[in-house]
Amino acid sequence: MKLDKREVGISALIIVTVLFIVGSFISRIQEKQAALQIDLYALAGKNNHALLTINRPDEFARSFLSQPSRYQLFATYIPEIFLSIISENRLSAPLLIAFHSHQEAVLYMRADKKQGQTIFQTTMSRQYGPYTPLHQEKNGTIFYFLSDSGNRFFGYFQQEGIWVASYSRKLLEESAERLRKLKTAVSVEPKNAPKQRKSSQAPLSIEIEAEALRLSVRQTDSTLYKIPNCRIIADLHSESDRIYYFSQLPYAADADTLYTRIGDTLALRIEHFFPEYRIFNQTTVKGPEVLFSGYGIIQSEAGNSIVKPS
């Protein structure tokens, strides 16, 4: 059977199309596999004073960003462009925000090229207009910058299935350098690569230096006891108009009588951030750790309740 030129052309076109689809699919699979091997906590580095992990971005947007008062609370500490990216895009993978000095922050998340394009089209083009971002290459990484108010530039880059954004060019370049080193560590010595932190089921987790919370208790003899400068990790849930939090500290016997008062201080701090809630808290010593837990009820519903969390 003899094929004419038209049939040969169509067959070749079909083959090329199939190869392109398969190649794109394999490329995306490889990109996602590379991203999963990169630990976002290691990528964020140690030169920060707090880390905010949004484990379930869709639930965080629904529970915390849909109400104006809660949105404004987070907008006080998180750049609004970050909140817009989270609330306007259907993000499923956990993301991380690292807070640095001078109120600078960096957003880290896993995203393939298609998701990166969606974020640009859905949020950034609306925020900054239909302008082509300025781009500059350094050490193999292409950085993109968009002009913002106040003579600032919002920058981002995407590499190895990781999308990173910040107003600080210095922090972006440092993140790109760490990403290159982490990629080498994963590909050359996978057994020695940094282990990813145990994931939390809470939609929101925060890791912050105890010093920043100023958790201290003054005894009757005027002795001031302060929590040593360690990292406090807390999980935050929201359900049926209630918020729940869980945190922990290393136990020290000489401070045994003070932990309850420290737990009360922590509850007051949370009430300061969520003034519409009345917080009920509990402090429990469990082995080498002190567990702080609590929940908040909207003030109008709390009444004179004195129920403690179990």
Side-chain angles (χ1 to χ4, degrees):
M1 181 177 179
K2 189 175 181 180
L3 297 175
D4 59 27
K5 291 183 179 179
R6 183 181 178 185
E7 290 175 325
V8 171
I10 293 174
S11 299
L13 181 60
I14 292 173
I15 292 172
V16 170
T17 303
V18 170
L19 289 175
F20 174 77
I21 293 173
V22 171
S24 299
F25 176 75
I26 293 174
S27 176
R28 289 185 65 184
I29 291 294
Q30 290 174 339
E31 187 178 19
K32 288 183 178 180
Q33 288 177 339
L36 290 174
Q37 293 179 23
I38 300 296
D39 183 3
L40 294 184
Y41 289 98
L43 182 57
K46 298 179 180 180
N47 187 27
N48 57 73
H49 60 77
L51 296 171
L52 180 68
T53 306
I54 302 175
N55 299 295
R56 299 202 297 273
D58 53 345
E59 184 174 334
F60 172 71
R62 184 172 61 254
S63 300
F64 292 100
L65 299 183
S66 59
Q67 299 182 24
S69 60
R70 294 187 184 182
Y71 181 94
Q72 192 54 47
L73 166 67
F74 288 101
T76 304
Y77 303 95
I78 302 174
E80 288 205 52
I81 183 62
F82 289 2
L83 297 179
S84 297
I85 289 171
I86 296 169
S87 59
E88 296 175 3
N89 297 273
R90 295 182 178 180
L91 305 176
S92 56
L95 56 89
L96 181 69
I97 300 176
F99 297 91
H100 297 258
S101 57
H102 308 297
Q103 297 183 328
E104 293 177 337
V106 186
L107 171 64
Y108 302 90
M109 65 176 161
R110 295 184 174 88
D112 57 27
K113 291 180 180 179
K114 184 178 180 180
Q115 289 173 314
Q117 291 170 354
T118 300
I119 291 170
F120 181 84
Q121 294 168 358
T122 303
T123 303
M124 295 165 66
S125 60
R126 177 188 58 79
Q127 182 85 8
Y128 299 106
Y131 302 109
T132 302
L134 301 174
H135 65 276
Q136 296 178 354
E137 183 176 350
K138 184 176 181 179
N139 296 331
T141 300
I142 300 177
F143 299 91
Y144 298 90
F145 298 96
L146 290 159
S147 179
D148 203 333
S149 60
N151 198 28
R152 297 190 305 169
F153 284 87
F154 179 72
Y156 65 96
F157 72 87
Q158 184 169 16
Q159 203 169 32
E160 304 300 330
I162 304 292
W163 197 86
V164 184
S166 177
Y167 281 104
S168 170
R169 176 170 182 160
K170 178 176 178 290
L171 293 176
L172 279 176
E173 292 179 353
E174 290 176 354
S175 298
E177 180 61 27
R178 282 194 298 272
L179 182 57
R180 281 192 291 273
K181 292 179 179 178
L182 286 172
K183 178 187 175 184
T184 302
V186 169
S187 60
V188 176
E189 298 179 279
K191 293 183 180 179
N192 297 326
K195 293 183 178 180
Q196 296 198 17
R197 191 168 312 189
K198 184 179 179 181
S199 60
S200 170
Q201 296 303 312
L204 188 68
S205 298
I206 187 167
E207 177 182 310
I208 188 170
E209 292 179 352
E211 198 172 72
L213 291 175
R214 301 188 300 278
L215 292 176
S216 60
V217 176
R218 188 177 296 279
Q219 295 180 294
T220 54
D221 61 356
S222 296
T223 301
L224 184 67
Y225 178 82
K226 295 178 64 176
I227 293 295
N229 192 22
C230 60
R231 290 261 171 158
I232 296 178
I233 300 175
D235 294 337
L236 188 65
H237 299 255
S238 178
E239 181 180 344
S240 301
D241 293 328
R242 292 189 178 190
I243 59 172
Y244 300 84
Y245 70 91
F246 305 90
S247 187
Q248 61 192 47
L249 279 175
Y251 174 72
D254 58 347
D256 183 75
T257 59
L258 299 178
Y259 284 116
T260 299
R261 294 169 66 185
I262 292 172
D264 293 340
T265 303
L266 181 60
L268 289 174
R269 291 282 188 270
I270 294 174
E271 279 190 348
H272 173 73
F273 287 122
F274 296 92
E276 70 269 32
Y277 286 93
R278 180 179 177 185
I279 302 296
F280 301 95
N281 67 295
Q282 178 171 293
T283 302
T284 307
V285 177
K286 189 174 183 180
E289 295 178 327
V290 182
L291 307 180
F292 301 100
S293 60
Y295 68 90
I297 303 177
I298 295 178
Q299 292 279 4
S300 59
E301 300 177 3
N304 297 318
S305 174
I306 56 172
V307 178
K308 297 282 185 177
S310 57

